[in-house]
Amino acid sequence: MTPDEEKIKKQAKAIMDEFVKALDKVGDLSGEVGLEREQTTREGKKSKPDDGFRERMLTNAPKKDSDNIIAEKKSW
């Protein structure tokens, strides 16, 4: 092992040892953990259509045929 690797290994061990000591001070945390909600899902939002989307997509497409984008599998 290089001197730098040895130094990093010692620093990591020291950090881990300090963390374990800090956890020992906390004690037992056997209480319930969690969150209860009355409503578990979100209500859907209605979105308004983007009028310029179709034109922007067709402008950016390298290959197109009138209103259709021509794409080949694995050609990217």
Side-chain angles (χ1 to χ4, degrees):
M1 233 188 282
T2 66
D4 287 337
E5 290 174 336
E6 189 70 32
K7 182 179 175 184
I8 292 171
K9 187 175 179 180
K10 286 180 183 179
Q11 288 175 345
K13 174 129 175 63
I15 291 170
M16 289 173 41
D17 290 342
E18 287 178 39
F19 182 69
V20 169
K21 287 178 186 177
L23 284 178
D24 287 340
K25 292 178 185 177
V26 171
D28 187 24
L29 297 175
S30 61
E32 272 190 49
V33 178
L35 176 65
E36 298 266 339
R37 296 182 179 179
E38 291 178 19
Q39 184 177 2
T40 58
T41 59
R42 296 181 186 173
E43 294 294 322
K45 293 183 183 178
K46 292 200 176 202
S47 61
K48 58 182 180 178
D50 185 359
D51 295 330
F53 177 76
R54 182 182 200 90
E55 290 78 25
R56 286 193 313 271
M57 285 296 291
L58 289 171
T59 302
N60 288 331
K63 296 180 183 179
K64 56 191 169 215
D65 179 26
S66 66
D67 283 346
N68 300 315
I69 296 173
I70 300 171
E72 294 180 21
K73 190 175 184 179
K74 296 184 182 181
S75 67
W76 298 22

